[in-house]
């Protein structure tokens, strides 16, 4: 059996960034159920840093991550955003422009940036520069190296099948053996409530939501490397350049049970149709399709902190679609809370993410 100070369940961005932040405070063990790190939500992310996206507390965490992200060479690359809307979507368009601090532009200017936009269907457009591509693999591997450099352990193929409270902490039974830890950190993503139940801790009501994606060839053979991420009001779809191709998503949120998600062909077709309605180039074929699970608490805000009934069980869950872009601030907050240091974040943010808010 391996003993550690911090036993982290989940090898996605949440668990690995927290593990790196905690590795200077004690020995870390990360248990990942799959054969590779960042296998589920973290490996299927849109990989965008957009600090105005989400609820106010989420925006605060994203903005608090900026200094760290911009200090890492080659981590962020400019992408930008473009909102496009039809004539009957004007009200939703105005709302999104205000909420995301975008600048309205003319359709002709929008077509200068994205030539395939259809002037017969696009009536409104707006642009924003506050979005960057994130090199997600760079982050994942950097955190893993930090954990190992401080003597920590990362174990894959280690699905947790049992959790028991011990006099000194926790004992996790996995397919890879038994692992002990003084503090259990639940960073299990879509499975976080299931891990709580294994530990005898009340769940907090996390709901995984499926999101499907397709990779299509560059429309019309254009060089799309400098195109912004394009989206419709209310996230009716989004399209984002990626390695010479275009990722298109219906941006759906279908409640599902935790599982290795796959794209729903009908939902994907509907989303591609919404995208096609705004462009002049039809989708002739798919290069690939997949899906991921974005897991939210009932109020769509992250869940970070010790369980109110079991202080040795620490929640790090409900990242939704914000896991990467909040990870720098969230991992600092985790380390501060566990070390007993005053967090740099304002009290309203701390209250917003506290697991106690989800208990009646």
């Amino acid at each position: 059996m391996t003993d550690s100070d911090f036993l982290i369940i989940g090898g996605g961005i949440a668990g690995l960034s927290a593990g790196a932040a905690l590795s200077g405070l004690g020995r870390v063990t990360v248990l990942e159920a799959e054969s590779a790190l960042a296998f589920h939500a973290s490996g299927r992310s849109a990989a965008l840093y957009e600090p105005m996206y989400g609820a106010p507390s989420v925006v605060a965490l994203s903005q608090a991550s900026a200094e760290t992200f911009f200090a890492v060479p080659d981590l962020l690359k400019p992408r930008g955003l473009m909102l496009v809307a039809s004539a009957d979507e004007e009200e939703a368009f105005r709302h999104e422009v205000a909420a995301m601090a975008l600048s309205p532009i003319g359709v002709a200017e929008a077509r200068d940036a994205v030539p395939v936009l259809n002037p017969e269907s696009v009536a409104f457009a707006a642009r924003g520069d506050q979005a960057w591509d994130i090199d997600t693999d760079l982050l994942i591997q950097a955190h893993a190296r930090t954990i190992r450099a401080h003597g920590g352990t990362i174990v894959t193929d280690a699905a947790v099948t049992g959790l028991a409270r011990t006099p000194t902490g926790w004992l996790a039974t996995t397919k890879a053996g038994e692992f002990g830890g003084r503090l259990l950190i639940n960073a299990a993503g879509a499975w976080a409530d299931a891990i709580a139940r294994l530990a005898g801790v009340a769940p907090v009501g996390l709901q995984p939501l499926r999101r499907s994606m397709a990779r299509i060839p560059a429309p019309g053979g254009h060089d799309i490397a400098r195109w912004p991420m394009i989206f419709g009001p209310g996230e009716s779809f989004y399209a984002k350049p990626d390695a010479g191709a275009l990722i298109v998503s219906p941006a759906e949120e279908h409640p599902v049970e935790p599982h290795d998600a796959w794209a729903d062909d009908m939902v994907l077709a509907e989303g591609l149709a919404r995208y096609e309605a705004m462009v002049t180039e039809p989708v002739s074929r798919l290069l690939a399709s997949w899906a991921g699970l974005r897991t939210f608490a009932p109020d769509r805000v992250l869940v970070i902190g010790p369980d109110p009934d079991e202080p040795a069980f620490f929640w790090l869950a409900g990242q939704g679609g914000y896991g990467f872009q909040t990870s720098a601030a969230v991992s600092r907050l985790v380390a501060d809370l566990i070390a007993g240091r005053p967090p740099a974040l304002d009290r309203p943010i701390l209250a917003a993410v506290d697991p106690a808010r989800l208990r009646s």
Side-chain angles (χ1 to χ4, degrees):
M1 185 182 74
T2 301
D3 278 315
S4 59
D5 296 291
F6 309 115
L7 183 60
I8 301 175
I9 300 177
I13 184 60
L16 291 172
S17 61
L22 291 168
S23 63
L25 301 176
R27 186 173 181 192
V28 170
T29 298
V30 177
L31 304 177
E32 167 53 46
E34 304 295 345
S35 59
L37 299 175
F39 184 87
H40 289 288
S42 294
R44 307 172 198 194
S45 166
L48 193 75
Y49 176 60
E50 202 292 276
M52 296 299 292
Y53 181 46
S57 56
V58 175
V59 169
L61 290 168
S62 297
Q63 292 176 341
S65 297
E67 183 177 357
T68 298
F69 288 160
F70 281 103
V72 179
D74 301 321
L75 176 62
L76 301 180
K77 294 182 179 179
R79 173 58 56 199
L81 298 171
M82 182 178 290
L83 172 66
V84 295
S86 60
D88 61 356
E89 295 176 313
E90 181 174 6
E91 183 178 352
F93 171 82
R94 303 295 179 198
H95 173 78
E96 298 255 344
V97 166
M100 300 183 69
L102 303 175
S103 300
I105 59 175
V107 174
E109 184 179 347
R111 294 189 75 240
D112 286 342
V114 183
V116 299
L117 291 177
N118 190 340
E120 296 182 2
S121 53
V122 177
F124 304 100
R127 191 83 190 256
D129 295 328
Q130 68 277 20
W132 295 262
D133 288 342
I134 305 175
D135 187 336
T136 55
D137 186 63
L138 187 156
L139 271 186
I140 291 292
Q141 297 306 323
H143 293 319
R145 285 195 299 272
T146 297
I147 291 168
R148 293 181 175 120
H150 285 84
T153 303
I154 299 174
V155 187
T156 55
D157 287 317
V160 175
T161 57
L163 286 168
R165 196 70 164 90
T166 70
T168 57
W170 296 92
L171 178 66
T173 302
T174 80
K175 296 179 179 179
E178 293 186 330
F179 300 85
R182 175 175 58 83
L183 181 69
L184 180 66
I185 299 169
N186 180 11
W191 288 264
D193 266 353
I195 290 297
R197 293 187 187 97
L198 275 181
V201 172
V204 293
L206 297 167
Q207 177 61 64
L209 304 175
R210 187 198 65 226
R211 176 158 288 185
S212 302
M213 286 159 276
R215 185 188 298 273
I216 66 172
H222 287 277
D223 180 357
I224 64 175
R226 296 183 181 275
W227 285 12
M229 181 175 179
I230 308 157
F231 64 104
E235 269 196 296
S236 55
F237 76 91
Y238 72 74
K240 178 178 181 287
D242 181 74
L246 196 67
I247 293 175
V248 181
S249 174
E252 87 275 23
E253 294 189 338
H254 283 191
V256 294
E257 293 298 313
H259 71 292
D260 186 0
W262 63 90
D264 183 295
D265 290 342
M266 184 62 69
V267 171
L268 197 55
E270 292 170 353
L272 288 169
R274 292 194 292 273
Y275 158 78
E276 284 184 299
M278 307 304 283
V279 299
T280 56
E281 295 287 339
V283 178
S284 58
R285 63 190 176 98
L286 303 188
L287 301 175
S289 65
W290 66 95
L293 302 183
R294 302 160 73 246
T295 302
F296 289 93
D299 57 6
R300 299 179 72 89
V301 173
L302 284 69
V303 186
I304 307 167
D307 186 86
D309 300 319
E310 176 49 87
F313 185 97
F314 193 100
W315 288 92
L316 179 52
Q319 282 81 8
Y322 318 114
F324 276 102
Q325 70 175 43
T326 61
S327 60
V330 166
S331 58
R332 283 197 301 269
L333 174 59
V334 170
D336 287 341
L337 292 174
I338 290 173
R341 301 187 297 243
L345 297 166
D346 294 337
R347 287 186 179 274
I349 306 304
L350 301 179
V353 302
D354 191 333
R357 76 187 193 273
L358 300 171
R359 296 282 169 75
S360 55

